[in-house]
Amino acid sequence: MPAQRGHHPALARFLTWSDSSTRLLLIRAAPGTGREWFAKSWIGDRSGEVHDWTATPGNESMALGALFERLREDESLHLAVILAPSTFTWDLVSIGSVLLAEQRDLLLEVGEIGWFAEGLAMPNSARDVKINALCGGWLGGARILLKDARADFQAQYVIRNGLAVWLEHQDPSGALTEAAFLTSFDAQTVEAFYGEFSATPHTLDELVDAGLLRRDDNNEWMMPTMVRKVLVERAGILGRERVGILKRASVNAVSKIHGIESAADSAVSRGWWPSLLNLLLERWVELFINNPKYLSALMAKIPHFVSEQTEYLWLGLRLLGTAGKNGIAIQLPAVKPDYSTDRAAQRLNQEVIRLYRRPNIRAMTMGMLETVQLRTGGMYVEAGTSAAQLRSALHRGMGTHNFKPALVSLVEIQAGISLQLAGRTVEAREAYEMSLHWAQASGQAFLLADAAGKLALLNTLETDVLSALECLRVHDAAIDQVTWGRPMLARSAALARAYVAVASFDFDAVDRALAPLPSAPDNDEFWAVHTHLLATVKIRRGIPQAARSLVDLMRRQRRFAAAAPMAAALLDDVLLMAATLERFSMLPVGESSAGDPALVALGHLLDGNADAALTVLNASIESPRIRGGGNLVHYLDLAARNPAGPTPELLARVRSLHEDSGQLAEIVYLMMVPGWAEVGSLLGLDPDAARRLEAAGIIPSAPLPKRPALTPRELEVLAQLRAGMTRREIAAVGYRSENTVKTQIRSLYRKLEVADLGQMLERAREWGL
C-alpha cells in the first residue's frame, strides 16, 4: 500500500506484514533513520505514546512489564518504544505480544524516497535511484539530497554519525564492516569472501539485517556509496596489511563465483593493482587460453608505475600485444643475437634462478616468459637451457605447490617448443608428452589441441607415423572446441598430416593438408618445418633444384633464425635429399657428416661403399637424427649387408617393417640401392600404394651408375689437368716419366667413359670429383 503524506515512508511496507491488533511497537534502529517519526507515524491519530529508551539502556525488561500493565488497563492505548542499538531484543519479544521494527525495516526503498517531501516528483525517478545508490534509504541523508543534490558532504555526515553508533553495538568485532571491500553481493560471494580469511561464516542475511545492503533499481543487493565509505574508514583502523588482505579476498571471491573477468574489472575500477596482479598471477593461464585479447586489454590498463616495477608484466604485455583472433605471432629475430652482451636477458635469468629456489606460480610464469624472450631474440640454444631449467623447477614445485593442470600443461608445451628449436628432441618429446597428459587432466581443449598437434609433428619428423596418427586423432577431437587461436593450434597438425601424406606419395592429400597454411613459410616459429615440408614435396615431385633454391632463399632472408639447431638440421636435410636425388652432382657423397645419417649412408651405398654405409648406420643407432623413428636406417642396413638384393626372407622382413610404418618414401629410397630396384614390386602392396609408388618416377627403377673410384694419383692428375698443365709439366712436378702420366690419363678416360680431355673434365665435375 502507498505511504500516506505525513507518515514515515517505510511505514506502509511495515504494516503489510505486521499484526494490526498488537498495540506495542519496539523499534531498534540507528539515528538518522527517522525512528521517532516512524514511531509517531505508527501511532497516528490513535491514543498513544512514544518512549525513547536510547539514553537509559539496561532495564528494558522491567520497564516493558510496566507498559504491558498499562495496555491491559487501557484497551485503546498504543505504545511505541525506541530502543538503544545495543538492546538484546529476544528477551523483550518473549515477554508479550509486540511488534519489532529493525534497522532494515526503517531504511527506505527506491519507491519510498520521494514520498515524504511536499511537491516532489513521483517515486522511482532517476533522482530517487541515484539517492538510493548514494545513501541506501537512510532517511536523514535522503532528505538532505532531495533538497540539494549537491549536498553530498552533509548527507555523508548524517549517515556517518548514525552508522557509527549503530555499528559500535551491532558489529563490535568489525567483521561485518569488512564487507565494505566486497564488490558483489549474493549469498555465495559473501560466503566465499569470508571464507578467504575468516573461520566465521558470515552471511548475506547478516549484512542485510544490519542494514548495510539495500536493493537497487534492478532488485539486486548493493552497498550504498556513503555506507561503504563509512565502513572503509572504520576498517582502515585495522591497518594497511589487513586492508590488502580484504581487497584480495574480495577479488578472489568474485573470481570464484562470477568469473575472473568480473573480478578483474572490479579491481581495475577501484584501482586495486596489487590485488589485480595477484589474481593475474594465479589465473592468467585461464585468461590466456580463453580470452587473450581481454587479457591484453586488461594488462594495458595497468599504470606504467605499476608494470615497470614488475618484470614479468612488461614481458607479458610485449607478448600479448601480438595476440589476435588467430593466435599469437612471435616475431623472428631481426638482429644478430649475443647472449654474452645481452644484459637484460642475463638479469632476467638471474631473477628466474632466484625464483626457482622456491618454485611457485610466479617462478613458472617468469620461466616461461624467459624461454619466449630468448627465442624471440634468436638465442635458441640458451632458450633450450632455460626450458630444461624450467621443467626441473616445475617438477620440484609440484611436490610443494598445488599447481593447476592447465598451468603445468602450458609450462611443458612452452618448454617443449624451446627444446625442439634447440635441437633437444628427446627432451622436447618428454615435455610434449607431459603437456598432453596434463592437458587431458585440465579438460582444456586449447591445451589438448596444441600439445597433441606438437607431438604429432615431432613424430612425423622422426617418421613415427603410427604415433603421429594417434596424436592427430586427439588433436582433431579437441580443435573443434577451441574458441580462439584455432589456426595457430591447427598449424602443427596440418604440417604433420602433410608429412604423413608425403611419406605415402599422396600429393592430393598433401595439398589438402597444406591448404589452410600460407603458400610460403611465414614468421611462425616452426617456419623451418614448413620449409622442410615444402622442399620435400618439391624433391618428391622431381624438382630438387627448386627445393635447393627455397632453402637458399630462406637462409638469406632468415639468417639468424636459420641458425637455430632444429632449423639448421632441417635445412641441411633438404640439401642432402636434393643432392642424393641429383646423384650427388653438387655434393660429394659422404662428405656431409652433419646431415641425416640415413641419407649419408644411402650416398655411400650409391657409391658402392657398403662398409662406409654400415659405419654411418651403426653410429646413427646410438645418436638418431631427423629420421630416427623410421625404418630407413633398417632398410639400408639390410641392403648394405646384402648387396645381391632381397631374398624371400629379406622381403618378409621389409614387408613386416613397412606394415608398421606404411611409408612409401622409405621404400623408394631402398629401391635406389643397386640390386634392390625391384623390391617395391615384390612386396605385394595394395593397388593404391603400388600406383603411388610407380608414380614416384623420379627415382630410377634400375641401379644408378657407380661413381668412379679414382686412385690418389689419378685425382692428382685430374686436378693438374683442370689447372691447365701439360703432360710434361705434370711429369716434372711429380718426378715421374711422361709415359707414366700418359698411362694415368688413359685410365681416367676409361673410368670416366670419355673420349677427350674436355669430356673428361665435364664428367669429373658432374661426379663431384
PDB file of all heavy atoms in Angstrom, residues 644-662:
ATOM      1  N   ALA A 644      73.453 -58.380 -53.012  1.00  0.00           N
ATOM      2  CA  ALA A 644      72.889 -59.160 -54.123  1.00  0.00           C
ATOM      3  C   ALA A 644      71.391 -58.930 -54.285  1.00  0.00           C
ATOM      4  O   ALA A 644      70.794 -59.378 -55.262  1.00  0.00           O
ATOM      5  CB  ALA A 644      73.163 -60.639 -53.910  1.00  0.00           C
ATOM      6  N   GLY A 645      70.766 -58.271 -53.334  1.00  0.00           N
ATOM      7  CA  GLY A 645      69.344 -57.997 -53.446  1.00  0.00           C
ATOM      8  C   GLY A 645      68.527 -58.802 -52.453  1.00  0.00           C
ATOM      9  O   GLY A 645      69.056 -59.613 -51.684  1.00  0.00           O
ATOM     10  N   PRO A 646      67.221 -58.611 -52.459  1.00  0.00           N
ATOM     11  CA  PRO A 646      66.372 -59.224 -51.434  1.00  0.00           C
ATOM     12  C   PRO A 646      66.087 -60.703 -51.688  1.00  0.00           C
ATOM     13  O   PRO A 646      65.701 -61.092 -52.785  1.00  0.00           O
ATOM     14  CB  PRO A 646      65.079 -58.399 -51.526  1.00  0.00           C
ATOM     15  CG  PRO A 646      65.038 -57.923 -52.936  1.00  0.00           C
ATOM     16  CD  PRO A 646      66.457 -57.703 -53.340  1.00  0.00           C
ATOM     17  N   THR A 647      66.301 -61.492 -50.671  1.00  0.00           N
ATOM     18  CA  THR A 647      65.877 -62.897 -50.674  1.00  0.00           C
ATOM     19  C   THR A 647      64.462 -62.954 -50.131  1.00  0.00           C
ATOM     20  O   THR A 647      63.938 -61.963 -49.604  1.00  0.00           O
ATOM     21  CB  THR A 647      66.809 -63.718 -49.768  1.00  0.00           C
ATOM     22  OG1 THR A 647      66.668 -63.230 -48.414  1.00  0.00           O
ATOM     23  CG2 THR A 647      68.260 -63.582 -50.204  1.00  0.00           C
ATOM     24  N   PRO A 648      63.772 -64.095 -50.225  1.00  0.00           N
ATOM     25  CA  PRO A 648      62.424 -64.188 -49.640  1.00  0.00           C
ATOM     26  C   PRO A 648      62.391 -63.814 -48.166  1.00  0.00           C
ATOM     27  O   PRO A 648      61.440 -63.177 -47.691  1.00  0.00           O
ATOM     28  CB  PRO A 648      62.048 -65.649 -49.870  1.00  0.00           C
ATOM     29  CG  PRO A 648      62.805 -66.017 -51.120  1.00  0.00           C
ATOM     30  CD  PRO A 648      64.120 -65.296 -51.018  1.00  0.00           C
ATOM     31  N   GLU A 649      63.442 -64.229 -47.452  1.00  0.00           N
ATOM     32  CA  GLU A 649      63.478 -63.901 -46.026  1.00  0.00           C
ATOM     33  C   GLU A 649      63.622 -62.392 -45.823  1.00  0.00           C
ATOM     34  O   GLU A 649      62.968 -61.795 -44.944  1.00  0.00           O
ATOM     35  CB  GLU A 649      64.646 -64.617 -45.338  1.00  0.00           C
ATOM     36  CG  GLU A 649      64.485 -66.128 -45.246  1.00  0.00           C
ATOM     37  CD  GLU A 649      64.823 -66.807 -46.578  1.00  0.00           C
ATOM     38  OE1 GLU A 649      65.348 -66.115 -47.492  1.00  0.00           O
ATOM     39  OE2 GLU A 649      64.539 -68.009 -46.703  1.00  0.00           O
ATOM     40  N   LEU A 650      64.484 -61.756 -46.632  1.00  0.00           N
ATOM     41  CA  LEU A 650      64.672 -60.304 -46.511  1.00  0.00           C
ATOM     42  C   LEU A 650      63.390 -59.553 -46.913  1.00  0.00           C
ATOM     43  O   LEU A 650      63.024 -58.546 -46.300  1.00  0.00           O
ATOM     44  CB  LEU A 650      65.848 -59.839 -47.368  1.00  0.00           C
ATOM     45  CG  LEU A 650      67.233 -60.341 -46.929  1.00  0.00           C
ATOM     46  CD1 LEU A 650      68.301 -59.923 -47.933  1.00  0.00           C
ATOM     47  CD2 LEU A 650      67.569 -59.784 -45.538  1.00  0.00           C
ATOM     48  N   LEU A 651      62.703 -60.058 -47.948  1.00  0.00           N
ATOM     49  CA  LEU A 651      61.453 -59.435 -48.360  1.00  0.00           C
ATOM     50  C   LEU A 651      60.425 -59.485 -47.233  1.00  0.00           C
ATOM     51  O   LEU A 651      59.680 -58.520 -46.996  1.00  0.00           O
ATOM     52  CB  LEU A 651      60.896 -60.137 -49.594  1.00  0.00           C
ATOM     53  CG  LEU A 651      61.421 -59.677 -50.958  1.00  0.00           C
ATOM     54  CD1 LEU A 651      60.859 -60.553 -52.059  1.00  0.00           C
ATOM     55  CD2 LEU A 651      61.052 -58.212 -51.194  1.00  0.00           C
ATOM     56  N   ALA A 652      60.375 -60.626 -46.539  1.00  0.00           N
ATOM     57  CA  ALA A 652      59.432 -60.753 -45.422  1.00  0.00           C
ATOM     58  C   ALA A 652      59.761 -59.740 -44.330  1.00  0.00           C
ATOM     59  O   ALA A 652      58.862 -59.144 -43.712  1.00  0.00           O
ATOM     60  CB  ALA A 652      59.474 -62.173 -44.872  1.00  0.00           C
ATOM     61  N   ARG A 653      61.072 -59.536 -44.108  1.00  0.00           N
ATOM     62  CA  ARG A 653      61.494 -58.560 -43.090  1.00  0.00           C
ATOM     63  C   ARG A 653      61.099 -57.140 -43.493  1.00  0.00           C
ATOM     64  O   ARG A 653      60.542 -56.376 -42.702  1.00  0.00           O
ATOM     65  CB  ARG A 653      63.007 -58.652 -42.897  1.00  0.00           C
ATOM     66  CG  ARG A 653      63.611 -57.613 -41.973  1.00  0.00           C
ATOM     67  CD  ARG A 653      63.067 -57.736 -40.580  1.00  0.00           C
ATOM     68  NE  ARG A 653      63.721 -56.809 -39.683  1.00  0.00           N
ATOM     69  CZ  ARG A 653      63.203 -56.393 -38.533  1.00  0.00           C
ATOM     70  NH1 ARG A 653      62.016 -56.852 -38.159  1.00  0.00           N
ATOM     71  NH2 ARG A 653      63.847 -55.555 -37.773  1.00  0.00           N
ATOM     72  N   VAL A 654      61.341 -56.786 -44.751  1.00  0.00           N
ATOM     73  CA  VAL A 654      60.986 -55.454 -45.248  1.00  0.00           C
ATOM     74  C   VAL A 654      59.466 -55.255 -45.195  1.00  0.00           C
ATOM     75  O   VAL A 654      58.966 -54.204 -44.794  1.00  0.00           O
ATOM     76  CB  VAL A 654      61.513 -55.236 -46.677  1.00  0.00           C
ATOM     77  CG1 VAL A 654      60.977 -53.923 -47.254  1.00  0.00           C
ATOM     78  CG2 VAL A 654      63.031 -55.260 -46.696  1.00  0.00           C
ATOM     79  N   ARG A 655      58.741 -56.319 -45.598  1.00  0.00           N
ATOM     80  CA  ARG A 655      57.280 -56.227 -45.590  1.00  0.00           C
ATOM     81  C   ARG A 655      56.754 -55.992 -44.171  1.00  0.00           C
ATOM     82  O   ARG A 655      55.850 -55.194 -43.947  1.00  0.00           O
ATOM     83  CB  ARG A 655      56.683 -57.498 -46.180  1.00  0.00           C
ATOM     84  CG  ARG A 655      55.164 -57.425 -46.363  1.00  0.00           C
ATOM     85  CD  ARG A 655      54.616 -58.707 -46.964  1.00  0.00           C
ATOM     86  NE  ARG A 655      55.154 -58.963 -48.298  1.00  0.00           N
ATOM     87  CZ  ARG A 655      56.020 -59.932 -48.606  1.00  0.00           C
ATOM     88  NH1 ARG A 655      56.451 -60.760 -47.634  1.00  0.00           N
ATOM     89  NH2 ARG A 655      56.458 -60.092 -49.840  1.00  0.00           N
ATOM     90  N   SER A 656      57.318 -56.662 -43.206  1.00  0.00           N
ATOM     91  CA  SER A 656      56.895 -56.508 -41.814  1.00  0.00           C
ATOM     92  C   SER A 656      57.170 -55.093 -41.308  1.00  0.00           C
ATOM     93  O   SER A 656      56.318 -54.470 -40.659  1.00  0.00           O
ATOM     94  CB  SER A 656      57.620 -57.533 -40.936  1.00  0.00           C
ATOM     95  OG  SER A 656      57.320 -57.323 -39.570  1.00  0.00           O
ATOM     96  N   LEU A 657      58.359 -54.575 -41.630  1.00  0.00           N
ATOM     97  CA  LEU A 657      58.703 -53.218 -41.213  1.00  0.00           C
ATOM     98  C   LEU A 657      57.782 -52.195 -41.880  1.00  0.00           C
ATOM     99  O   LEU A 657      57.318 -51.239 -41.253  1.00  0.00           O
ATOM    100  CB  LEU A 657      60.166 -52.907 -41.550  1.00  0.00           C
ATOM    101  CG  LEU A 657      61.225 -53.641 -40.724  1.00  0.00           C
ATOM    102  CD1 LEU A 657      62.610 -53.418 -41.319  1.00  0.00           C
ATOM    103  CD2 LEU A 657      61.191 -53.174 -39.276  1.00  0.00           C
ATOM    104  N   HIS A 658      57.507 -52.414 -43.152  1.00  0.00           N
ATOM    105  CA  HIS A 658      56.675 -51.463 -43.880  1.00  0.00           C
ATOM    106  C   HIS A 658      55.241 -51.467 -43.351  1.00  0.00           C
ATOM    107  O   HIS A 658      54.591 -50.409 -43.288  1.00  0.00           O
ATOM    108  CB  HIS A 658      56.667 -51.797 -45.374  1.00  0.00           C
ATOM    109  CG  HIS A 658      55.753 -50.917 -46.165  1.00  0.00           C
ATOM    110  ND1 HIS A 658      56.010 -49.583 -46.366  1.00  0.00           N
ATOM    111  CD2 HIS A 658      54.567 -51.180 -46.786  1.00  0.00           C
ATOM    112  CE1 HIS A 658      55.031 -49.057 -47.090  1.00  0.00           C
ATOM    113  NE2 HIS A 658      54.148 -50.004 -47.350  1.00  0.00           N
ATOM    114  N   GLU A 659      54.735 -52.603 -42.960  1.00  0.00           N
ATOM    115  CA  GLU A 659      53.379 -52.663 -42.428  1.00  0.00           C
ATOM    116  C   GLU A 659      53.250 -51.857 -41.139  1.00  0.00           C
ATOM    117  O   GLU A 659      52.186 -51.324 -40.835  1.00  0.00           O
ATOM    118  CB  GLU A 659      52.986 -54.122 -42.174  1.00  0.00           C
ATOM    119  CG  GLU A 659      52.727 -54.910 -43.464  1.00  0.00           C
ATOM    120  CD  GLU A 659      52.484 -56.377 -43.190  1.00  0.00           C
ATOM    121  OE1 GLU A 659      52.650 -56.793 -42.012  1.00  0.00           O
ATOM    122  OE2 GLU A 659      52.143 -57.116 -44.137  1.00  0.00           O
ATOM    123  N   ASP A 660      54.359 -51.743 -40.401  1.00  0.00           N
ATOM    124  CA  ASP A 660      54.330 -50.961 -39.163  1.00  0.00           C
ATOM    125  C   ASP A 660      54.313 -49.459 -39.436  1.00  0.00           C
ATOM    126  O   ASP A 660      53.690 -48.691 -38.706  1.00  0.00           O
ATOM    127  CB  ASP A 660      55.544 -51.295 -38.283  1.00  0.00           C
ATOM    128  CG  ASP A 660      55.407 -52.668 -37.643  1.00  0.00           C
ATOM    129  OD1 ASP A 660      54.264 -53.149 -37.554  1.00  0.00           O
ATOM    130  OD2 ASP A 660      56.431 -53.241 -37.250  1.00  0.00           O
ATOM    131  N   SER A 661      55.030 -49.012 -40.485  1.00  0.00           N
ATOM    132  CA  SER A 661      55.145 -47.574 -40.737  1.00  0.00           C
ATOM    133  C   SER A 661      54.305 -47.091 -41.904  1.00  0.00           C
ATOM    134  O   SER A 661      53.780 -45.982 -41.894  1.00  0.00           O
ATOM    135  CB  SER A 661      56.608 -47.204 -41.014  1.00  0.00           C
ATOM    136  OG  SER A 661      57.027 -47.689 -42.284  1.00  0.00           O
ATOM    137  N   GLY A 662      54.186 -47.923 -42.952  1.00  0.00           N
ATOM    138  CA  GLY A 662      53.398 -47.540 -44.108  1.00  0.00           C
ATOM    139  C   GLY A 662      53.991 -46.429 -44.936  1.00  0.00           C
ATOM    140  O   GLY A 662      53.293 -45.795 -45.721  1.00  0.00           O
TER     141      GLY A 662
END
